[in-house]
Amino acid sequence: MEQDSLTLHGDGISATIVAHGAELVTLRDAREFEFLWQAGPTWRRHSPVLFPIVGRLKGDQLHHRGQAYPMTQHGFARDKPFMWAQRGPRSCTLVLTDDAETRTHYPFAFRLAVTYTLGDGQLDIEFEITNSGDEPMPASIGAHPAFNWPLLPDMAKDAYRLTFAQAEPAPIRRLKDGLLIATRQPTPLKGNVLELSERLFADDAVILDRPASNSVRYGADDGPAIEVSWQGFQELGIWSKPGGAPFLCIEPWHGIASPLDFDGEFTDKPGLMLIAPGAKRSLSYRISLEQGPRQVFLQAMKRAQSRTGPYSPGYHGGIVH
């Protein structure tokens, strides 16, 4: 990989992280099977870090003390070079701090540290946000990992479902032009299960703004699966590109897009953290990989190979990454 990157190796798992955006770009099991979306033409990202906002602000402007600052969707961290603070065989930490350029968009002093740690078949990701300034700092942060959908190349997309740890009866939130619609909508979940289909994302993301669960499993009846769990986040976004795309994003957030009718001071925006001068906030999430039965995997790969050629490391859906 040409970018400044590091590959971590754990028990039955490996992960590659790049300094640009502190982004996770590969996530493979012991069979070298790729779980993470590989940034194809449909969407050119893998797992961006969303900071200092999640979603959009009205007019793409942040208002603070009478001044307007340009701020595009999901903030700037995903497009900034991070510095390596620690590089090890199983963990690494990358850091972004404010500078003259970030202050033209976000007039606050900050330090954002992103730590990746591999365990036994799992990857832990921690965000630590420090207010380095002398005034309260409003901020949001979110994860945006995109997983292959389907996970096995010959499975139907609608064979997959999300199974939450608890029932999720609460109404969901939706977006219009990237901004939050005020009216809540009936949940598409049945108990703790969300059956996946491309139709689900015709109106953009499905947003649980106060989920009862802190974990969800993504998988089908057979084959590999993923569990995502989180601590400190208060919303969960579920997204795939409207019109159909071969990935599914499971996104723990602390923060949400601006309501359609909100255009006020940034500090008054719903859903923000407000971090005191010198204080820190830590949030984390975990991705756990399930390989599934070996025989199911081998049969699926054999069927795929008959169409596309031999299996290679990083293989998914006939694409070698």
Side-chain angles (χ1 to χ4, degrees):
M1 183 171 294
E2 295 180 0
Q3 297 189 63
D4 183 10
S5 66
L6 176 67
T7 298
L8 307 176
H9 296 277
D11 298 326
I13 188 170
S14 66
T16 300
I17 298 96
V18 296
H20 184 81
E23 188 172 6
L24 175 69
V25 297
T26 74
L27 186 62
R28 298 176 179 175
D29 65 13
R31 297 176 294 207
E32 288 288 291
F33 184 76
E34 181 63 75
F35 285 76
L36 204 67
W37 165 246
Q38 289 300 287
T42 312
W43 190 57
R44 292 290 188 182
R45 299 182 188 271
H46 307 260
S47 181
V49 175
L50 315 182
F51 177 85
I53 65 168
V54 171
R56 283 192 61 202
L57 303 177
K58 192 166 188 177
D60 293 325
Q61 289 192 325
L62 182 155
H63 298 283
H64 182 63
R65 294 186 175 177
Q67 294 192 46
Y69 299 84
M71 178 70 78
T72 55
Q73 178 172 292
H74 293 325
F76 50 72
R78 59 185 183 167
D79 294 316
K80 298 289 287 183
F82 282 61
M83 299 296 293
W84 298 98
Q86 179 259 329
R87 297 168 62 111
R90 299 174 70 102
S91 69
C92 66
T93 300
L94 303 97
V95 172
L96 178 68
T97 57
D98 65 286
D99 58 24
E101 199 279 330
T102 67
R103 290 190 290 273
T104 66
H105 303 281
Y106 181 66
F108 301 96
F110 69 87
R111 180 183 187 271
L112 171 61
V114 182
T115 298
Y116 294 90
T117 305
L118 286 182
D120 184 3
Q122 64 193 32
L123 173 64
D124 289 329
I125 304 97
E126 181 183 16
F127 301 139
E128 183 184 79
I129 309 163
T130 303
N131 180 353
S132 308
D134 56 7
E135 64 174 310
M137 185 179 78
S140 291
I141 194 161
H144 201 316
F147 304 107
N148 289 314
W149 180 31
L151 288 171
L152 281 179
D154 68 335
M155 293 283 285
K157 295 177 78 174
D158 60 7
Y160 286 81
R161 67 186 66 90
L162 294 180
T163 305
F164 287 81
Q166 300 184 46
E168 298 288 350
I172 63 166
R173 309 300 297 271
R174 287 286 199 176
L175 303 171
K176 181 180 180 181
D177 299 325
L179 299 175
L180 192 67
I181 298 171
T183 305
R184 297 173 185 269
Q185 300 187 14
T187 180
L189 282 88
K190 304 297 184 185
N192 68 332
V193 175
L194 179 62
E195 300 289 348
L196 295 173
S197 71
E198 292 182 350
R199 298 185 305 278
L200 189 64
F201 305 105
D203 295 322
D204 211 319
V206 173
I207 301 170
L208 284 66
D209 63 347
R210 289 296 183 272
S213 306
N214 64 1
S215 67
V216 62
R217 183 181 185 273
Y218 162 51
D221 288 337
D222 292 314
I226 295 166
E227 183 180 82
V228 179
S229 57
W230 55 90
Q231 297 284 339
F233 296 95
Q234 60 183 22
E235 294 96 5
L236 185 73
I238 305 162
W239 180 73
S240 188
K241 195 168 185 178
F247 61 82
L248 178 76
C249 297
I250 302 172
E251 309 177 35
W253 299 338
H254 195 303
I256 201 165
S258 290
L260 275 166
D261 60 355
F262 180 82
D263 197 25
E265 282 283 306
F266 185 58
T267 53
D268 297 329
K269 178 181 175 293
L272 292 173
M273 295 177 281
L274 199 59
I275 304 173
K280 300 178 180 180
R281 288 288 296 269
S282 294
L283 309 89
S284 63
Y285 73 105
R286 172 177 289 175
I287 303 170
S288 302
L289 305 184
E290 299 177 22
Q291 290 188 342
R294 178 176 173 81
Q295 190 61 29
V296 171
F297 174 83
L298 292 176
Q299 288 172 354
M301 291 301 99
K302 184 176 180 179
R303 289 190 294 269
Q305 288 167 25
S306 69
R307 299 192 302 269
T308 61
Y311 171 80
S312 298
Y315 181 90
H316 181 273
I319 302 170
V320 176
H321 307 299

